[in-house]
Amino acid sequence: MTTETVGARERVVTDAGDARITWHRAKKPTLVLAVGHGAGGGIEARDLRALAEVLPAHGVSVALVEQPWRVAGKKVAPAPKTLDVGWRGVWP
């Protein structure tokens, strides 16, 4: 893999609780793609891992975002309104 930083983690405080970003940075990024998991999964999902492995070599840094409910260890996602609060806190 041709990334400078693979798997660097960042904690982000949101109004819905702490979120976590796992970065897969390109050496010379031209953009950032922020992706999150579905309601029943996590950032270890095959499609998200594939993006994080392939895109940095093409100048795209990938930010895998774990929602606050997942970081807190809960297995069931809250209402969509709460999910929006978590995303707005990660990318104000």
Side-chain angles (χ1 to χ4, degrees):
M1 196 182 298
T2 59
T3 59
E4 287 182 356
T5 305
V6 176
R9 289 189 171 182
E10 177 181 354
R11 182 178 138 262
V12 180
V13 178
T14 78
D15 288 341
D18 289 354
R20 185 169 39 230
I21 302 171
T22 301
W23 287 97
H24 297 264
R25 298 184 191 273
K27 284 187 180 181
K28 295 182 179 181
T30 56
L31 60 97
V32 172
L33 174 66
V35 292
H37 52 81
I43 63 167
E44 64 280 350
R46 284 187 301 174
D47 55 347
L48 300 182
R49 302 304 308 165
L51 291 170
E53 289 175 14
V54 173
L55 291 180
H58 299 281
V60 180
S61 289
V62 177
L64 299 178
V65 179
E66 290 179 83
Q67 282 277 335
W69 64 271
R70 176 81 179 196
V71 173
K74 297 178 183 170
K75 295 186 189 241
V76 178
K81 184 189 277 186
T82 303
L83 296 175
D84 291 346
V85 170
W87 270 105
R88 281 192 305 271
V90 171
W91 307 106

mmCIF file of all heavy atoms in Angstrom, residues 9-23 32-37 43 62-71 82-92:
data_model
loop_
_atom_site.group_PDB
_atom_site.id
_atom_site.type_symbol
_atom_site.label_atom_id
_atom_site.label_comp_id
_atom_site.label_asym_id
_atom_site.label_seq_id
_atom_site.Cartn_x
_atom_site.Cartn_y
_atom_site.Cartn_z
ATOM 1 N N ARG A 9 -5.894 6.619 14.099
ATOM 2 C CA ARG A 9 -7.231 6.860 14.663
ATOM 3 C C ARG A 9 -7.321 8.234 15.295
ATOM 4 O O ARG A 9 -6.377 8.707 15.918
ATOM 5 C CB ARG A 9 -7.566 5.807 15.702
ATOM 6 C CG ARG A 9 -7.826 4.472 15.080
ATOM 7 C CD ARG A 9 -8.347 3.521 16.096
ATOM 8 N NE ARG A 9 -8.783 2.311 15.410
ATOM 9 C CZ ARG A 9 -9.324 1.301 16.020
ATOM 10 N NH1 ARG A 9 -9.511 1.332 17.320
ATOM 11 N NH2 ARG A 9 -9.682 0.244 15.347
ATOM 12 N N GLU A 10 -8.508 8.814 15.145
ATOM 13 C CA GLU A 10 -8.788 10.133 15.707
ATOM 14 C C GLU A 10 -10.141 10.078 16.402
ATOM 15 O O GLU A 10 -11.122 9.609 15.829
ATOM 16 C CB GLU A 10 -8.814 11.148 14.570
ATOM 17 C CG GLU A 10 -9.163 12.539 14.974
ATOM 18 C CD GLU A 10 -9.203 13.489 13.777
ATOM 19 O OE1 GLU A 10 -8.852 13.081 12.659
ATOM 20 O OE2 GLU A 10 -9.608 14.634 13.988
ATOM 21 N N ARG A 11 -10.180 10.537 17.637
ATOM 22 C CA ARG A 11 -11.435 10.629 18.389
ATOM 23 C C ARG A 11 -12.042 11.992 18.142
ATOM 24 O O ARG A 11 -11.343 13.002 18.199
ATOM 25 C CB ARG A 11 -11.172 10.431 19.879
ATOM 26 C CG ARG A 11 -12.412 10.461 20.726
ATOM 27 C CD ARG A 11 -12.042 10.208 22.200
ATOM 28 N NE ARG A 11 -12.794 11.090 23.037
ATOM 29 C CZ ARG A 11 -12.386 12.246 23.557
ATOM 30 N NH1 ARG A 11 -11.165 12.672 23.343
ATOM 31 N NH2 ARG A 11 -13.161 12.974 24.308
ATOM 32 N N VAL A 12 -13.343 12.022 17.876
ATOM 33 C CA VAL A 12 -14.038 13.279 17.621
ATOM 34 C C VAL A 12 -15.237 13.353 18.552
ATOM 35 O O VAL A 12 -16.074 12.447 18.579
ATOM 36 C CB VAL A 12 -14.518 13.378 16.153
ATOM 37 C CG1 VAL A 12 -15.233 14.688 15.913
ATOM 38 C CG2 VAL A 12 -13.346 13.213 15.195
ATOM 39 N N VAL A 13 -15.331 14.427 19.321
ATOM 40 C CA VAL A 13 -16.448 14.621 20.235
ATOM 41 C C VAL A 13 -17.613 15.234 19.462
ATOM 42 O O VAL A 13 -17.450 16.251 18.786
ATOM 43 C CB VAL A 13 -16.037 15.542 21.410
ATOM 44 C CG1 VAL A 13 -17.213 15.776 22.338
ATOM 45 C CG2 VAL A 13 -14.861 14.936 22.167
ATOM 46 N N THR A 14 -18.774 14.584 19.521
ATOM 47 C CA THR A 14 -19.981 15.101 18.870
ATOM 48 C C THR A 14 -21.077 15.232 19.922
ATOM 49 O O THR A 14 -20.945 14.713 21.032
ATOM 50 C CB THR A 14 -20.475 14.176 17.739
ATOM 51 O OG1 THR A 14 -21.159 13.059 18.305
ATOM 52 C CG2 THR A 14 -19.328 13.706 16.853
ATOM 53 N N ASP A 15 -22.172 15.875 19.554
ATOM 54 C CA ASP A 15 -23.310 16.001 20.473
ATOM 55 C C ASP A 15 -24.000 14.654 20.728
ATOM 56 O O ASP A 15 -24.786 14.528 21.652
ATOM 57 C CB ASP A 15 -24.325 17.004 19.933
ATOM 58 C CG ASP A 15 -23.824 18.442 20.017
ATOM 59 O OD1 ASP A 15 -22.883 18.706 20.793
ATOM 60 O OD2 ASP A 15 -24.371 19.307 19.298
ATOM 61 N N ALA A 16 -23.687 13.645 19.912
ATOM 62 C CA ALA A 16 -24.265 12.311 20.090
ATOM 63 C C ALA A 16 -23.296 11.374 20.820
ATOM 64 O O ALA A 16 -23.594 10.203 20.991
ATOM 65 C CB ALA A 16 -24.640 11.727 18.732
ATOM 66 N N GLY A 17 -22.134 11.888 21.226
ATOM 67 C CA GLY A 17 -21.106 11.068 21.873
ATOM 68 C C GLY A 17 -19.837 11.070 21.046
ATOM 69 O O GLY A 17 -19.749 11.750 20.030
ATOM 70 N N ASP A 18 -18.849 10.310 21.487
ATOM 71 C CA ASP A 18 -17.567 10.259 20.779
ATOM 72 C C ASP A 18 -17.662 9.391 19.532
ATOM 73 O O ASP A 18 -18.116 8.246 19.600
ATOM 74 C CB ASP A 18 -16.470 9.685 21.668
ATOM 75 C CG ASP A 18 -16.061 10.631 22.780
ATOM 76 O OD1 ASP A 18 -16.543 11.782 22.790
ATOM 77 O OD2 ASP A 18 -15.256 10.220 23.625
ATOM 78 N N ALA A 19 -17.223 9.953 18.405
ATOM 79 C CA ALA A 19 -17.077 9.197 17.163
ATOM 80 C C ALA A 19 -15.595 8.897 16.999
ATOM 81 O O ALA A 19 -14.755 9.438 17.714
ATOM 82 C CB ALA A 19 -17.597 10.009 15.984
ATOM 83 N N ARG A 20 -15.285 8.016 16.046
ATOM 84 C CA ARG A 20 -13.883 7.690 15.798
ATOM 85 C C ARG A 20 -13.660 7.626 14.291
ATOM 86 O O ARG A 20 -14.464 7.059 13.562
ATOM 87 C CB ARG A 20 -13.539 6.349 16.439
ATOM 88 C CG ARG A 20 -12.097 5.974 16.334
ATOM 89 C CD ARG A 20 -11.710 4.773 17.190
ATOM 90 N NE ARG A 20 -12.702 3.732 17.220
ATOM 91 C CZ ARG A 20 -13.165 3.172 18.345
ATOM 92 N NH1 ARG A 20 -12.739 3.565 19.525
ATOM 93 N NH2 ARG A 20 -14.067 2.209 18.291
ATOM 94 N N ILE A 21 -12.561 8.241 13.857
ATOM 95 C CA ILE A 21 -12.181 8.194 12.450
ATOM 96 C C ILE A 21 -10.891 7.393 12.344
ATOM 97 O O ILE A 21 -9.926 7.661 13.064
ATOM 98 C CB ILE A 21 -11.945 9.605 11.872
ATOM 99 C CG1 ILE A 21 -13.193 10.470 12.024
ATOM 100 C CG2 ILE A 21 -11.518 9.517 10.408
ATOM 101 C CD1 ILE A 21 -12.965 11.928 11.670
ATOM 102 N N THR A 22 -10.890 6.420 11.466
ATOM 103 C CA THR A 22 -9.673 5.678 11.149
ATOM 104 C C THR A 22 -9.235 6.143 9.768
ATOM 105 O O THR A 22 -9.951 5.973 8.786
ATOM 106 C CB THR A 22 -9.903 4.155 11.168
ATOM 107 O OG1 THR A 22 -10.371 3.791 12.474
ATOM 108 C CG2 THR A 22 -8.622 3.404 10.865
ATOM 109 N N TRP A 23 -8.069 6.781 9.727
ATOM 110 C CA TRP A 23 -7.565 7.404 8.505
ATOM 111 C C TRP A 23 -6.694 6.457 7.703
ATOM 112 O O TRP A 23 -5.862 5.750 8.254
ATOM 113 C CB TRP A 23 -6.734 8.640 8.842
ATOM 114 C CG TRP A 23 -7.557 9.791 9.290
ATOM 115 C CD1 TRP A 23 -7.813 10.158 10.578
ATOM 116 C CD2 TRP A 23 -8.227 10.736 8.459
ATOM 117 N NE1 TRP A 23 -8.602 11.281 10.596
ATOM 118 C CE2 TRP A 23 -8.873 11.651 9.313
ATOM 119 C CE3 TRP A 23 -8.339 10.889 7.069
ATOM 120 C CZ2 TRP A 23 -9.622 12.708 8.813
ATOM 121 C CZ3 TRP A 23 -9.091 11.943 6.584
ATOM 122 C CH2 TRP A 23 -9.721 12.841 7.447
ATOM 123 N N VAL A 32 -10.631 13.874 0.077
ATOM 124 C CA VAL A 32 -10.904 12.940 1.172
ATOM 125 C C VAL A 32 -12.281 12.345 0.944
ATOM 126 O O VAL A 32 -13.233 13.072 0.651
ATOM 127 C CB VAL A 32 -10.881 13.653 2.546
ATOM 128 C CG1 VAL A 32 -11.356 12.714 3.650
ATOM 129 C CG2 VAL A 32 -9.495 14.180 2.855
ATOM 130 N N LEU A 33 -12.369 11.038 1.075
ATOM 131 C CA LEU A 33 -13.646 10.345 1.021
ATOM 132 C C LEU A 33 -13.958 9.873 2.433
ATOM 133 O O LEU A 33 -13.211 9.075 3.007
ATOM 134 C CB LEU A 33 -13.581 9.148 0.069
ATOM 135 C CG LEU A 33 -14.832 8.264 0.043
ATOM 136 C CD1 LEU A 33 -16.019 9.044 -0.526
ATOM 137 C CD2 LEU A 33 -14.562 7.003 -0.759
ATOM 138 N N ALA A 34 -15.040 10.380 2.999
ATOM 139 C CA ALA A 34 -15.471 9.957 4.332
ATOM 140 C C ALA A 34 -16.631 8.984 4.152
ATOM 141 O O ALA A 34 -17.625 9.309 3.499
ATOM 142 C CB ALA A 34 -15.916 11.154 5.164
ATOM 143 N N VAL A 35 -16.467 7.785 4.696
ATOM 144 C CA VAL A 35 -17.508 6.773 4.592
ATOM 145 C C VAL A 35 -17.781 6.194 5.971
ATOM 146 O O VAL A 35 -16.902 6.153 6.830
ATOM 147 C CB VAL A 35 -17.139 5.650 3.602
ATOM 148 C CG1 VAL A 35 -17.106 6.165 2.181
ATOM 149 C CG2 VAL A 35 -15.815 5.015 3.941
ATOM 150 N N GLY A 36 -19.005 5.776 6.170
ATOM 151 C CA GLY A 36 -19.394 5.193 7.439
ATOM 152 C C GLY A 36 -20.035 3.839 7.226
ATOM 153 O O GLY A 36 -20.379 3.453 6.111
ATOM 154 N N HIS A 37 -20.209 3.142 8.303
ATOM 155 C CA HIS A 37 -20.783 1.802 8.285
ATOM 156 C C HIS A 37 -22.301 1.870 8.289
ATOM 157 O O HIS A 37 -22.901 2.890 8.595
ATOM 158 C CB HIS A 37 -20.283 1.018 9.504
ATOM 159 C CG HIS A 37 -20.505 1.753 10.791
ATOM 160 N ND1 HIS A 37 -21.714 1.768 11.432
ATOM 161 C CD2 HIS A 37 -19.667 2.529 11.518
ATOM 162 C CE1 HIS A 37 -21.608 2.502 12.527
ATOM 163 N NE2 HIS A 37 -20.379 2.977 12.602
ATOM 164 N N ILE A 43 -16.748 -0.518 10.539
ATOM 165 C CA ILE A 43 -15.802 -0.124 9.497
ATOM 166 C C ILE A 43 -14.968 -1.299 8.998
ATOM 167 O O ILE A 43 -14.201 -1.154 8.062
ATOM 168 C CB ILE A 43 -14.888 1.032 9.957
ATOM 169 C CG1 ILE A 43 -14.018 0.617 11.138
ATOM 170 C CG2 ILE A 43 -15.708 2.274 10.250
ATOM 171 C CD1 ILE A 43 -12.890 1.599 11.427
ATOM 172 N N VAL A 62 -8.858 8.203 2.720
ATOM 173 C CA VAL A 62 -10.135 7.621 3.127
ATOM 174 C C VAL A 62 -10.270 7.753 4.640
ATOM 175 O O VAL A 62 -9.366 7.376 5.394
ATOM 176 C CB VAL A 62 -10.239 6.142 2.705
ATOM 177 C CG1 VAL A 62 -11.543 5.531 3.192
ATOM 178 C CG2 VAL A 62 -10.106 6.015 1.181
ATOM 179 N N ALA A 63 -11.407 8.287 5.069
ATOM 180 C CA ALA A 63 -11.732 8.416 6.487
ATOM 181 C C ALA A 63 -12.874 7.448 6.790
ATOM 182 O O ALA A 63 -13.994 7.642 6.325
ATOM 183 C CB ALA A 63 -12.155 9.840 6.806
ATOM 184 N N LEU A 64 -12.569 6.383 7.526
ATOM 185 C CA LEU A 64 -13.597 5.427 7.928
ATOM 186 C C LEU A 64 -14.174 5.913 9.252
ATOM 187 O O LEU A 64 -13.461 5.990 10.256
ATOM 188 C CB LEU A 64 -13.002 4.028 8.085
ATOM 189 C CG LEU A 64 -12.371 3.413 6.837
ATOM 190 C CD1 LEU A 64 -11.793 2.042 7.160
ATOM 191 C CD2 LEU A 64 -13.370 3.332 5.699
ATOM 192 N N VAL A 65 -15.451 6.258 9.242
ATOM 193 C CA VAL A 65 -16.081 6.899 10.394
ATOM 194 C C VAL A 65 -16.950 5.906 11.155
ATOM 195 O O VAL A 65 -17.846 5.282 10.585
ATOM 196 C CB VAL A 65 -16.948 8.099 9.941
ATOM 197 C CG1 VAL A 65 -17.616 8.755 11.143
ATOM 198 C CG2 VAL A 65 -16.100 9.098 9.164
ATOM 199 N N GLU A 66 -16.657 5.767 12.448
ATOM 200 C CA GLU A 66 -17.490 4.958 13.339
ATOM 201 C C GLU A 66 -18.404 5.889 14.105
ATOM 202 O O GLU A 66 -17.935 6.813 14.781
ATOM 203 C CB GLU A 66 -16.637 4.172 14.324
ATOM 204 C CG GLU A 66 -15.846 3.059 13.681
ATOM 205 C CD GLU A 66 -15.003 2.318 14.694
ATOM 206 O OE1 GLU A 66 -15.544 1.418 15.377
ATOM 207 O OE2 GLU A 66 -13.822 2.665 14.812
ATOM 208 N N GLN A 67 -19.682 5.639 13.991
ATOM 209 C CA GLN A 67 -20.678 6.458 14.669
ATOM 210 C C GLN A 67 -20.548 6.323 16.191
ATOM 211 O O GLN A 67 -20.086 5.289 16.699
ATOM 212 C CB GLN A 67 -22.080 6.021 14.243
ATOM 213 C CG GLN A 67 -22.495 6.534 12.902
ATOM 214 C CD GLN A 67 -23.037 7.941 12.986
ATOM 215 O OE1 GLN A 67 -23.528 8.388 14.023
ATOM 216 N NE2 GLN A 67 -22.968 8.664 11.881
ATOM 217 N N PRO A 68 -20.958 7.373 16.934
ATOM 218 C CA PRO A 68 -20.851 7.341 18.397
ATOM 219 C C PRO A 68 -21.507 6.131 19.054
ATOM 220 O O PRO A 68 -20.959 5.572 20.005
ATOM 221 C CB PRO A 68 -21.539 8.638 18.822
ATOM 222 C CG PRO A 68 -21.298 9.567 17.680
ATOM 223 C CD PRO A 68 -21.410 8.687 16.458
ATOM 224 N N TRP A 69 -22.641 5.700 18.550
ATOM 225 C CA TRP A 69 -23.311 4.547 19.175
ATOM 226 C C TRP A 69 -22.458 3.293 19.050
ATOM 227 O O TRP A 69 -22.408 2.478 19.958
ATOM 228 C CB TRP A 69 -24.706 4.324 18.582
ATOM 229 C CG TRP A 69 -24.724 3.964 17.125
ATOM 230 C CD1 TRP A 69 -24.781 4.836 16.074
ATOM 231 C CD2 TRP A 69 -24.674 2.668 16.558
ATOM 232 N NE1 TRP A 69 -24.772 4.166 14.890
ATOM 233 C CE2 TRP A 69 -24.716 2.820 15.152
ATOM 234 C CE3 TRP A 69 -24.591 1.381 17.076
ATOM 235 C CZ2 TRP A 69 -24.685 1.744 14.271
ATOM 236 C CZ3 TRP A 69 -24.565 0.305 16.204
ATOM 237 C CH2 TRP A 69 -24.610 0.499 14.817
ATOM 238 N N ARG A 70 -21.749 3.165 17.956
ATOM 239 C CA ARG A 70 -20.889 2.001 17.745
ATOM 240 C C ARG A 70 -19.640 2.091 18.641
ATOM 241 O O ARG A 70 -19.215 1.100 19.233
ATOM 242 C CB ARG A 70 -20.509 1.930 16.275
ATOM 243 C CG ARG A 70 -19.564 0.872 15.897
ATOM 244 C CD ARG A 70 -20.243 -0.462 15.719
ATOM 245 N NE ARG A 70 -19.196 -1.402 15.337
ATOM 246 C CZ ARG A 70 -19.386 -2.568 14.815
ATOM 247 N NH1 ARG A 70 -20.601 -2.973 14.599
ATOM 248 N NH2 ARG A 70 -18.388 -3.339 14.501
ATOM 249 N N VAL A 71 -19.060 3.294 18.735
ATOM 250 C CA VAL A 71 -17.887 3.504 19.592
ATOM 251 C C VAL A 71 -18.245 3.189 21.050
ATOM 252 O O VAL A 71 -17.436 2.637 21.791
ATOM 253 C CB VAL A 71 -17.351 4.955 19.448
ATOM 254 C CG1 VAL A 71 -16.245 5.236 20.455
ATOM 255 C CG2 VAL A 71 -16.841 5.186 18.024
ATOM 256 N N THR A 82 -30.564 10.989 15.337
ATOM 257 C CA THR A 82 -29.358 10.911 16.147
ATOM 258 C C THR A 82 -28.135 10.607 15.282
ATOM 259 O O THR A 82 -27.049 11.117 15.523
ATOM 260 C CB THR A 82 -29.504 9.831 17.244
ATOM 261 O OG1 THR A 82 -30.660 10.152 18.024
ATOM 262 C CG2 THR A 82 -28.295 9.778 18.149
ATOM 263 N N LEU A 83 -28.315 9.786 14.259
ATOM 264 C CA LEU A 83 -27.213 9.496 13.339
ATOM 265 C C LEU A 83 -26.748 10.778 12.652
ATOM 266 O O LEU A 83 -25.551 11.005 12.486
ATOM 267 C CB LEU A 83 -27.640 8.472 12.290
ATOM 268 C CG LEU A 83 -27.989 7.093 12.818
ATOM 269 C CD1 LEU A 83 -28.505 6.219 11.689
ATOM 270 C CD2 LEU A 83 -26.807 6.450 13.511
ATOM 271 N N ASP A 84 -27.694 11.616 12.262
ATOM 272 C CA ASP A 84 -27.344 12.902 11.628
ATOM 273 C C ASP A 84 -26.527 13.779 12.577
ATOM 274 O O ASP A 84 -25.578 14.432 12.171
ATOM 275 C CB ASP A 84 -28.602 13.655 11.186
ATOM 276 C CG ASP A 84 -29.308 12.984 10.027
ATOM 277 O OD1 ASP A 84 -28.705 12.096 9.372
ATOM 278 O OD2 ASP A 84 -30.473 13.330 9.778
ATOM 279 N N VAL A 85 -26.886 13.799 13.855
ATOM 280 C CA VAL A 85 -26.160 14.580 14.852
ATOM 281 C C VAL A 85 -24.711 14.110 14.928
ATOM 282 O O VAL A 85 -23.775 14.916 14.990
ATOM 283 C CB VAL A 85 -26.836 14.499 16.245
ATOM 284 C CG1 VAL A 85 -25.961 15.113 17.322
ATOM 285 C CG2 VAL A 85 -28.194 15.183 16.207
ATOM 286 N N GLY A 86 -24.511 12.805 14.880
ATOM 287 C CA GLY A 86 -23.157 12.254 14.915
ATOM 288 C C GLY A 86 -22.335 12.677 13.688
ATOM 289 O O GLY A 86 -21.182 13.086 13.819
ATOM 290 N N TRP A 87 -22.925 12.618 12.521
ATOM 291 C CA TRP A 87 -22.205 13.024 11.292
ATOM 292 C C TRP A 87 -21.889 14.502 11.286
ATOM 293 O O TRP A 87 -20.794 14.912 10.914
ATOM 294 C CB TRP A 87 -23.017 12.675 10.047
ATOM 295 C CG TRP A 87 -22.703 11.312 9.526
ATOM 296 C CD1 TRP A 87 -23.471 10.195 9.640
ATOM 297 C CD2 TRP A 87 -21.524 10.904 8.838
ATOM 298 N NE1 TRP A 87 -22.831 9.126 9.064
ATOM 299 C CE2 TRP A 87 -21.640 9.537 8.557
ATOM 300 C CE3 TRP A 87 -20.368 11.565 8.424
ATOM 301 C CZ2 TRP A 87 -20.653 8.821 7.890
ATOM 302 C CZ3 TRP A 87 -19.390 10.861 7.752
ATOM 303 C CH2 TRP A 87 -19.542 9.496 7.488
ATOM 304 N N ARG A 88 -22.839 15.329 11.699
ATOM 305 C CA ARG A 88 -22.576 16.781 11.730
ATOM 306 C C ARG A 88 -21.450 17.121 12.680
ATOM 307 O O ARG A 88 -20.683 18.052 12.442
ATOM 308 C CB ARG A 88 -23.847 17.549 12.098
ATOM 309 C CG ARG A 88 -24.799 17.704 10.935
ATOM 310 C CD ARG A 88 -25.893 18.704 11.234
ATOM 311 N NE ARG A 88 -26.648 18.423 12.445
ATOM 312 C CZ ARG A 88 -27.737 17.665 12.493
ATOM 313 N NH1 ARG A 88 -28.205 17.093 11.407
ATOM 314 N NH2 ARG A 88 -28.366 17.460 13.623
ATOM 315 N N GLY A 89 -21.309 16.366 13.749
ATOM 316 C CA GLY A 89 -20.225 16.609 14.689
ATOM 317 C C GLY A 89 -18.861 16.216 14.147
ATOM 318 O O GLY A 89 -17.843 16.801 14.518
ATOM 319 N N VAL A 90 -18.837 15.218 13.271
ATOM 320 C CA VAL A 90 -17.571 14.778 12.689
ATOM 321 C C VAL A 90 -17.118 15.756 11.626
ATOM 322 O O VAL A 90 -15.942 16.076 11.502
ATOM 323 C CB VAL A 90 -17.725 13.352 12.090
ATOM 324 C CG1 VAL A 90 -16.496 12.960 11.297
ATOM 325 C CG2 VAL A 90 -17.969 12.337 13.210
ATOM 326 N N TRP A 91 -18.056 16.262 10.823
ATOM 327 C CA TRP A 91 -17.740 17.179 9.711
ATOM 328 C C TRP A 91 -18.546 18.467 9.863
ATOM 329 O O TRP A 91 -19.524 18.663 9.166
ATOM 330 C CB TRP A 91 -18.066 16.517 8.363
ATOM 331 C CG TRP A 91 -17.419 15.181 8.238
ATOM 332 C CD1 TRP A 91 -18.026 13.971 8.321
ATOM 333 C CD2 TRP A 91 -16.036 14.911 8.039
ATOM 334 N NE1 TRP A 91 -17.099 12.973 8.185
ATOM 335 C CE2 TRP A 91 -15.882 13.516 8.005
ATOM 336 C CE3 TRP A 91 -14.925 15.724 7.882
ATOM 337 C CZ2 TRP A 91 -14.644 12.905 7.827
ATOM 338 C CZ3 TRP A 91 -13.689 15.111 7.709
ATOM 339 C CH2 TRP A 91 -13.560 13.731 7.680
ATOM 340 N N PRO A 92 -18.150 19.303 10.813
ATOM 341 C CA PRO A 92 -18.960 20.521 11.074
ATOM 342 C C PRO A 92 -19.011 21.488 9.889
ATOM 343 O O PRO A 92 -18.130 21.601 9.117
ATOM 344 C CB PRO A 92 -18.232 21.171 12.262
ATOM 345 C CG PRO A 92 -16.893 20.556 12.323
ATOM 346 C CD PRO A 92 -16.957 19.236 11.609
#
